[in-house]
Structure formats: structure tokens, C-alpha cells
Amino acid sequence: MQVKSEGPKLVPFFKATCVYFVLWLPTSSPSWFSALIKCLPIFCLWVFLLAHGISFLGAHSSARKILVGLIFSALGDAFLIWQEQGYFSHGLLMFGITHILYSSAFGMKPLNLRAGLVIAVISGLSYTLLYSYLSGPFTYLVAVYIALIGFMGWRAIAGVQLLANDLWTWTKLSACLGAVLFMVSDLTIAVNKFCFPVPHSRAIIMATYYAAQMLIALSAVECQDADVARKRA
């Protein structure tokens, strides 16, 4: 199975994630070192994609978009280290760009309006929960961000209806699970920051976030194997 063959290439990512949780630097003062440790797993996902070759990235626009999305994600992670110093909105911007790139990578086919409706309802309920706690620019920034991540989630989840086609099973499933975990992570951030303290919030946020990014990166690689299998058929 291709997922097993990709496993060894993800070992640096798993090690970097373990380093983050072992050092647990979010409880310390913001620093470039803590930013590096937080971003290191994402750096490893850059390497994971680049390890498949420039020709692979050149031939697959979706993989390129996901790689660029990971770059903006790392910038967002760094800004959020200094969120108490006024850089939270900068982090939102970086991750907003990430979701636009991921949405483009997942594409608009199949449309799956039913999935879009479900995500729209969930997004609306999420914003309704947050609205009374928001003030100033965040009233609008959070609304735009929820719309962007909701759209990304829709485009990832929409592809699940293709699971009947074995060539696309792991591609679509990885993207779908990754998008859902990303939404869980970001909703936890929002509730914890604007509404009320969430128990074990940091562990929930970062565990779901790293898993989401890994699954989305893995989905980019799986599309290569679907293409190859289709050509051989």
C-alpha cells in the first residue's frame, strides 16, 4: 500500500512533532527558538513533498499549491507565537491564504452541494457562537476566516463521494480528514481565545493541527499514484 511506503518519509515530521510536545514551549515566553520548534514539523512536511522531486511538483499543480500553503502555514505559526503582542491578525491572514491555496488544490469537482450546505450550517453556527464575544476588527476578520476555512473544508469533503473509485480513496480521505481536523483545531483556538478557556486547549489545538497538515500533505502525494495507476490501466 502506498501509504505504508510514504511512512518512512514522514519520520522526520513525527520526530519534530514529538520534540514540540516534549519541550512544550508555548508555556514559555515567545522567542525565535520557540517559533522554530513550533514550525519544525511543518518544515518537515515541506521536505516530505520536495523529496518526491521537482518534476513531481512541476507536473502536479495541486501538490505545488499545498506546498505553498504549508509555507504560509509556517508563517502563520510564527506570527501566532507573538499573538499577545498584536500579531494574531497577521496569523489569521497567513492561514487565510493557506486555505485559499488548499481549496484551489482540492478543486471544484465534484461540486457536492449537500456537503457545502452542511459546512455552511456548521460555519454559521460557529460564527453565531463567537459573535457576541467579538469586537472591533475581529468581528469581520473572524467571519472572513470562517468562510475561507469552511470553503476549504467543503472542497475537501466534497471529494469523499469518489471513494467508490479505489484510485482516489486515499487521496480524498486524507484531504477530507485533514480538513476536518484543521477546522476542529481552529474552532478550538477561537473558542479558547474569544469565549472561554478550553481544558487542554493547547494539546487539542496542536495535535489536530499537525495531524491535519500531515494528512493534507499526504493527499498531495497520493494524487501522483492515482495518475500513474490511471495511465497504466
Side-chain angles (χ1 to χ4, degrees):
M1 184 181 291
Q2 180 62 26
V3 173
K4 291 182 179 179
S5 69
E6 295 297 339
K9 298 173 187 174
L10 287 169
V11 168
F13 164 80
F14 290 123
K15 289 183 177 180
T17 302
C18 289
V19 168
Y20 172 85
F21 283 107
V22 168
L23 295 181
W24 205 240
L25 293 174
T27 57
S28 63
S29 299
S31 68
W32 285 108
F33 179 70
S34 60
L36 173 64
I37 295 302
K38 184 182 182 184
C39 295
L40 192 58
I42 306 303
F43 294 159
C44 291
L45 292 177
W46 297 2
V47 175
F48 169 73
L49 289 179
L50 289 169
H52 291 82
I54 299 302
S55 59
F56 162 66
L57 292 172
H60 296 84
S61 63
S62 60
R64 291 197 304 275
K65 291 170 183 175
I66 288 175
L67 175 60
V68 177
L70 287 168
I71 292 173
F72 277 99
S73 293
L75 292 172
D77 285 332
F79 278 124
L80 292 182
I81 288 286
W82 285 277
Q83 61 178 286
E84 300 303 325
Q85 284 72 39
Y87 288 97
F88 184 79
S89 58
H90 296 71
L92 277 184
L93 175 61
M94 295 299 103
F95 280 111
I97 294 171
T98 294
H99 296 317
I100 292 172
L101 288 161
Y102 286 174
S103 299
S104 180
F106 298 147
M108 290 301 296
K109 294 181 180 179
L111 196 60
N112 199 341
L113 292 176
R114 182 180 299 177
L117 179 60
V118 171
I119 292 297
V121 171
I122 293 173
S123 298
L125 290 174
S126 299
Y127 186 67
T128 300
L129 168 66
L130 296 168
Y131 181 76
S132 60
Y133 296 93
L134 301 173
S135 61
F138 285 118
T139 303
Y140 309 102
L141 290 174
V142 171
V144 172
Y145 186 83
I146 288 177
L148 290 175
I149 193 171
F151 187 83
M152 184 276 291
W154 171 36
R155 296 324 311 146
I157 295 169
V160 172
Q161 70 180 35
L162 292 183
L163 286 177
N165 185 337
D166 291 338
L167 294 178
W168 291 97
T169 297
W170 283 105
T171 305
K172 300 301 181 181
L173 187 58
S174 293
C176 177
L177 291 177
V180 170
L181 288 174
F182 216 135
M183 290 188 287
V184 170
S185 178
D186 281 1
L187 182 59
T188 305
I189 289 176
V191 171
N192 187 67
K193 181 176 180 63
F194 297 113
C195 302
F196 49 81
V198 176
H200 311 294
S201 60
R202 180 57 57 179
I204 295 170
I205 290 165
M206 297 312 297
T208 52
Y209 170 69
Y210 286 140
Q213 294 283 35
M214 179 199 71
L215 288 166
I216 290 172
L218 184 60
S219 76
V221 174
E222 288 295 319
C223 74
Q224 175 189 36
D225 305 294
D227 290 346
V228 171
R230 239 195 340 261
K231 290 176 183 178
R232 290 177 177 173

